[in-house]
């Protein structure tokens, strides 16, 4: 298929060089998407139906037997050899069961080692004499060591996950999922499915995956290309709102107020305050004639635009045309017959432009936010009845900046500027947005993401128990309201496939303290001996020893510690001659140990985890609940085994 694409000759099929360039780019992208991926087999399963499948669904396929793979593969004659996992005819591979066979006689799973078939496993779903059984190949694939970036899960998607993956483009889906339930993979595979089912529409409108940090995005960046999808953008929330350079930080109290949804109303008032009502009539001179628009009529035009509550910039562009229309009415009443060209000329008249500048002056979003945070009187005027005096003092800068460029903007400030920018000029909306680790966003950050999908849909992924910011999401209903997707369907994943049962049960002791009422994850993986909690009188040395012990196993190792402990442990590892990586760096056969600050552990996973000093992880956060949530995240990063080393007493919530 790749050679066919490479051999295409487009010299005689394009009308001009522009068409040729566009077509060549499309061919190049097609060739890139058909690249061979090492250790990524093209098919992983086979379905044999009891009866012939409908001609429309199975067009071109041989009989009633289909190989299922990551993407469509055809032979030299164009006949299908492998059916894309997203095709309707592939769905029974994920959904069929002994209770609901979906006309499937046999489902075969293939096992691979290093890209070569080494095993297969058959299930006769329509045979009542064969008992239902757990797939060993499925279990082995789930438990395969995690080395390198995140991989796709097309061979192991579970029925409850598949239902979310195949949900339609029209609606927003919110997935609440505990550690190891596969919510990130579900979100990415839903993007791949939507691109398959609605390719032309999403090609026009665009898709975006939003992650919590660069390390996380680097970790997931190979999943979609492995499925042949190269056009999906990836970004953090900070990337989306990067109107200014962020060089400062806020304390928790200030960030909490700046991230509050009430700030949107303060900004709206501040933007609209720039509009002033006309105090005198407008005189427009054209040739030998003078046309007068009285102040009361100008005021009516301005109030109408304000009442419509359209974007400030759009209203400012409409104002000169409205004024020009009022002049044209007078011309017609005087017996003239002006056309659209005359109206445009009047709108560009010097007197009209001067009036517009005085009535509806331009607004620079960054300068507006700068003034709000620097000028106590200006803030008080527009925050009256919205923010208390104490809250206003909390967000005011102690030392006001002189200009936008010299200001030490924080991440929360950048979000405020993005809100103000949207009040002036509408933000471009995409067709679909995936928002991962959503529980850590502030209401204002939710609004920033929501602006990117006002005309599209979203997939919201998160776990309320893993919220590690002072403004962490309290309920998905509230969060979806800020996102502008109140009608979203909320799904919950409770079956864990990554974290061993012993480890998730230990971490779940924290749930009553951090997320009362949340369903505990039930792991499908039994792994006796996967948890070891060790009290130590020399924790630095014992942590290094635990790392060496873990390195005796196959796979990746993560040493997770409170941010303040990282320099100490780095020195201890270097003293022991152990090489290590930073979060997001790809493991190699020679270096499989990653030193991870607890603040960056979210979303990452390692075969074996060594957790240093749980009490220090808790103490590193502004309050105990946030600290315990950070600890919950750290405890649930392990795929095969967890060693907890502590010199200080364990947090009381761990029992």
């Amino acid at each position: 298929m790749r050679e066919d694409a490479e051999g295409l000759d487009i010299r005689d099929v394009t009308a001009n060089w522009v068409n040729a360039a566009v077509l060549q780019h499309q061919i190049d992208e097609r060739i890139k998407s058909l690249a061979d991926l090492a250790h990524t087999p093209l098919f992983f399963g086979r379905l044999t139906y009891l009866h012939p499948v409908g001609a429309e669904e199975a067009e071109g396929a041989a009989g009633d037997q289909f190989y299922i793979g990551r993407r469509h593969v055809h032979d030299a004659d164009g006949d299908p050899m492998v059916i894309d996992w997203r095709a309707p005819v592939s769905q029974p591979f994920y959904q069929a069961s002994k209770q609901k066979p979906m006309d499937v006689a046999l489902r075969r799973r293939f096992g691979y080692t290093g890209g070569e078939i080494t095993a297969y496993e058959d299930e006769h779903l329509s045979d009542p004499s064969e008992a239902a059984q757990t797939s060993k190949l499925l279990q082995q694939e789930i438990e395969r060591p995690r080395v390198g970036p995140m991989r796709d899960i097309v061979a192991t998607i579970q029925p409850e996950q598949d239902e979310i993956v195949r949900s339609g483009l029209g609606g927003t889906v919110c997935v609440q999922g505990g550690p190891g339930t596969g919510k990130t993979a579900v979100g990415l595979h839903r993007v791949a499915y939507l691109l398959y089912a609605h390719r032309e529409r999403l090609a026009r409108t665009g898709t975006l995956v939003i992650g919590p940090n660069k390390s996380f995005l680097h970790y997931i960046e190979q999943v979609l290309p492995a499925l042949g999808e190269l056009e999906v953008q990836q970004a953090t929330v900070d990337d989306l709102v990067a109107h200014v350079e962020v060089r400062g930080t806020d304390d928790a109290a200030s960030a909490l107020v700046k991230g509050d949804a009430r700030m949107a109303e303060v900004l709206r008032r501040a933007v609209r305050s720039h509009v002033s009502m006309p105090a005198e009539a407008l005189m427009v001179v054209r040739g030998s004639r003078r046309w007068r628009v009285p102040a009361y009529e100008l005021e009516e035009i301005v109030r109408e635009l304000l009442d419509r509550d359209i974007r400030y910039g759009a209203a400012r562009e409409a104002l000169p045309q409205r004024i020009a229309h009022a002049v044209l009415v007078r011309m017609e009443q005087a017996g003239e017959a002006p056309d659209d060209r005359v109206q445009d000329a009047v709108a560009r008249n010097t007197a009209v432009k001067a009036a517009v500048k005085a009535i509806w002056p331009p607004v620079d979003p960054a300068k507006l936010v700068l003034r709000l945070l620097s000028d106590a009187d200006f803030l008080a005027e527009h925050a009256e009845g919205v923010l208390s005096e104490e809250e206003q003092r909390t967000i005011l800068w102690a030392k006001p900046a002189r200009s936008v460029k010299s200001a030490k903007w924080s991440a929360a400030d950048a979000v405020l500027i993005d809100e103000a920018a949207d009040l002036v000029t509408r933000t471009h909306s995409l067709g679909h947005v995936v928002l991962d680790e959503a529980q850590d966003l502030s209401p204002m950050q939710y609004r920033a993401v929501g602006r990117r999908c006002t005309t599209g849909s979203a997939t919201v992924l998160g776990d309320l128990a893993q919220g590690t910011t002072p403004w962490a999401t309290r309920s998905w209903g509230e969060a979806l309201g800020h996102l502008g997707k109140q009608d979203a369907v909320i799904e919950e994943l409770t079956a864990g496939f990554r974290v061993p049962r012993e480890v998730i049960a230990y971490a779940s002791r924290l749930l009553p303290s951090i997320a009362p009422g949340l369903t505990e994850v039930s792991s499908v993986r039994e792994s006796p001996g996967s948890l070891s909690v060790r009290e130590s009188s020399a924790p630095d040395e014992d942590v290094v020893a635990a790392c060496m012990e873990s390195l005796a196993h196959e796979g990746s190792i993560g040493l997770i510690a409170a941010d303040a402990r990282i320099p100490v442990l780095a020195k201890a590892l270097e003293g022991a001659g152990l090489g290590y990586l930073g979060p997001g760096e790809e493991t190699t056969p020679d270096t499989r140990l990653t030193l991870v600050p607890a603040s960056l552990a979210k979303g990452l996973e390692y075969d074996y985890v060594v957790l240093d000093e749980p009490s220090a992880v808790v103490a590193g956060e502004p309050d105990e609940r946030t600290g315990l949530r950070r600890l919950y995240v750290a405890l649930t990063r392990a795929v095969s085994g967890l060693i907890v080393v502590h010199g200080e007493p364990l947090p009381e919530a761990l029992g």
Side-chain angles (χ1 to χ4, degrees):
M1 290 168 67
R2 187 174 62 253
E3 287 170 359
D4 286 347
E6 289 171 340
L8 289 173
D9 186 352
I10 64 171
R11 286 175 296 184
D12 298 327
V13 297
T14 53
N16 52 54
W17 70 270
V18 175
N19 288 346
V22 170
L23 183 55
Q24 188 59 54
H25 172 74
Q26 293 173 339
I27 291 172
D28 291 342
E29 289 297 300
R30 168 75 171 162
I31 292 168
K32 196 186 300 182
S33 72
L34 291 170
D36 288 319
L37 299 174
H39 310 306
T40 304
L42 288 173
F43 64 91
F44 47 80
R46 196 182 81 191
L47 287 177
T48 303
Y49 281 88
L50 283 173
H51 306 98
V53 178
E56 186 176 340
E57 286 188 335
E59 188 175 351
D64 55 3
Q65 182 170 284
F66 305 94
Y67 283 86
I68 312 300
R70 282 166 175 78
R71 56 182 309 156
H72 169 86
V73 181
H74 61 247
D75 61 19
D77 296 324
D79 294 324
M81 298 177 69
V82 178
I83 303 298
D84 195 302
W85 66 277
R86 298 166 287 189
V89 78
S90 303
Q91 189 169 2
F93 185 79
Y94 303 104
Q95 294 282 348
S97 64
K98 293 291 290 186
Q99 294 73 32
K100 183 180 155 187
M102 299 176 73
D103 201 43
V104 173
L106 181 143
R107 173 169 57 200
R108 172 169 291 180
R109 300 182 191 274
F110 295 96
Y112 290 84
T113 302
E116 294 189 0
I117 295 179
T118 53
Y120 68 88
E121 184 179 75
D122 288 347
E123 296 173 87
H124 296 86
L125 298 179
S126 298
D127 185 353
S129 64
E130 184 179 287
Q133 56 188 358
T134 303
S135 169
K136 292 181 180 178
L137 286 181
L138 195 63
Q139 197 76 12
Q140 289 170 5
E141 174 63 21
I142 291 172
E143 296 179 3
R144 188 155 54 95
R146 265 79 171 154
V147 177
M150 181 180 178
R151 57 179 183 256
D152 66 70
I153 62 162
V154 288
T156 61
I157 294 174
Q158 298 300 293
E160 64 272 21
Q161 295 174 326
D162 188 64
E163 288 178 6
I164 298 171
V165 166
R166 295 176 191 267
S167 55
L169 178 61
T172 289
V173 177
C174 175
V175 182
Q176 158 63 40
T181 54
K183 57 186 177 295
T184 296
V186 166
L188 294 174
H189 287 69
R190 185 177 183 222
V191 170
Y193 172 77
L194 292 176
L195 285 167
Y196 173 88
H198 308 277
R199 189 166 302 281
E200 288 187 10
R201 178 175 168 184
L202 289 177
R204 292 193 307 270
T205 55
T207 50
L208 172 67
V209 174
I210 302 173
N213 52 56
K214 296 290 187 185
S215 299
F216 179 83
L217 292 178
H218 180 71
Y219 176 62
I220 67 169
E221 66 184 357
Q222 294 303 318
V223 175
L224 290 169
L227 301 174
E229 303 299 345
L230 306 174
E231 299 299 319
V232 180
Q233 299 174 314
Q234 293 186 350
T236 64
V237 174
D238 290 344
D239 293 333
L240 297 182
V241 300
H243 302 281
V244 291
E245 183 183 358
V246 174
R247 298 185 294 134
T249 55
D250 288 311
D251 58 38
S254 178
L256 199 59
V257 178
K258 289 179 180 179
D260 194 297
R262 292 174 296 163
M263 287 300 299
E265 174 60 20
V266 176
L267 288 164
R268 192 186 75 86
R269 292 180 183 181
V271 168
R272 288 167 67 98
S273 72
H274 288 76
V275 179
S276 57
M277 291 301 164
E280 56 186 30
L282 170 65
M283 193 68 70
V284 178
V285 179
R286 277 187 57 82
S288 61
R289 301 295 298 271
R290 302 174 73 188
W291 308 98
R292 182 177 179 275
V293 182
Y296 76 85
E297 189 170 346
L298 292 174
E299 184 175 335
E300 287 176 359
I301 294 171
V302 171
R303 290 196 183 281
E304 183 198 348
L305 288 171
L306 286 172
D307 290 343
R308 289 182 60 193
D309 204 23
I310 58 178
R311 294 297 192 281
Y312 184 93
R316 188 173 187 274
E317 291 175 3
L319 181 57
Q321 290 291 337
R322 295 296 180 87
I323 294 173
H325 178 72
V327 173
L328 258 67
V329 170
R330 284 160 172 74
M331 290 181 178
E332 290 170 349
Q333 290 171 345
E336 295 189 19
D339 56 18
D340 290 345
R341 290 173 297 177
V342 174
Q343 180 166 329
D344 290 339
V346 173
R348 294 193 300 270
N349 181 276
T350 305
V352 173
K353 288 198 289 186
V356 169
K357 187 174 182 181
I359 297 169
W360 212 293
V363 171
D364 181 291
K367 288 182 179 178
L368 176 76
V369 175
L370 178 70
R371 187 179 175 192
L372 274 174
L373 300 178
S374 305
D375 186 335
D377 293 337
F378 187 67
L379 176 61
E381 179 186 351
H382 302 299
E384 184 180 357
V386 180
L387 302 179
S388 68
E389 291 183 6
E390 177 61 31
E391 288 173 323
Q392 293 174 38
R393 284 193 294 272
T394 299
I395 64 174
L396 275 171
W397 286 341
K399 186 179 179 182
R402 292 184 177 180
S403 68
V404 170
K405 286 190 176 180
S406 65
K408 289 189 176 180
W409 299 105
S410 68
D413 296 335
V415 179
L416 295 180
I417 294 171
D418 189 70
E419 178 84 26
D422 184 68
L423 289 167
V424 175
T425 307
R426 184 182 295 277
T427 303
H428 174 67
S429 176
L430 299 165
H432 192 77
V433 170
V434 175
L435 175 61
D436 205 353
E437 299 295 348
Q439 71 280 345
D440 273 340
L441 268 60
S442 70
M444 290 300 286
Q445 287 176 316
Y446 276 117
R447 289 177 62 88
V449 174
R451 284 192 284 279
R452 271 77 187 177
C453 55
T454 49
T455 58
S457 56
T459 303
V460 181
L461 313 165
D463 179 12
L464 296 179
Q466 295 186 61
T468 50
T469 55
W471 50 83
T473 303
R474 288 173 293 191
S475 76
W476 288 121
E478 183 181 323
L480 292 165
H482 295 311
L483 196 69
K485 303 294 182 184
Q486 296 90 335
D487 298 332
V489 176
I490 300 175
E491 303 280 1
E492 188 170 8
L493 296 175
T494 56
F497 304 98
R498 172 169 55 81
V499 186
R501 188 173 300 173
E502 200 173 345
V503 174
I504 196 65
Y506 183 68
S508 294
R509 296 181 186 181
L510 299 174
L511 285 179
S513 301
I514 62 177
L518 206 62
T519 305
E520 183 178 330
V521 172
S522 175
S523 178
V524 301
R525 297 185 54 212
E526 288 191 49
S527 184
S530 56
L531 173 67
S532 175
V533 182
R534 304 172 184 177
E535 188 173 3
S536 170
S537 56
D540 293 359
E541 291 85 348
D542 287 345
V543 162
V544 172
C547 289
M548 290 180 172
E549 180 184 329
S550 299
L551 284 166
H553 299 288
E554 185 183 0
S556 58
I557 317 297
L559 169 54
I560 303 177
D563 292 32
R565 291 271 296 156
I566 294 297
V568 176
L569 294 176
K571 190 174 180 181
L573 291 173
E574 289 165 3
L578 284 180
Y580 62 89
L581 304 166
E585 295 182 308
E586 196 167 322
T587 55
T588 66
D590 297 325
T591 310
R592 296 182 289 121
L593 174 63
T594 304
L595 180 57
V596 187
S599 63
L600 296 180
K602 190 169 295 179
L604 305 179
E605 59 183 42
Y606 302 93
D607 286 291
Y608 293 87
V609 167
V610 178
L611 177 60
D612 168 79
E613 213 60 80
S615 293
V617 174
V618 177
E621 300 299 328
D623 59 83
E624 185 183 30
R625 191 186 75 158
T626 304
L628 290 173
R629 285 180 165 187
R630 184 76 72 189
L631 178 59
Y632 182 75
V633 171
L635 286 168
T636 53
R637 300 302 96 200
V639 174
S640 297
L642 170 67
I643 300 174
V644 179
V645 180
H646 66 101
E648 299 293 325
L650 291 171
E652 188 178 340
L654 274 179

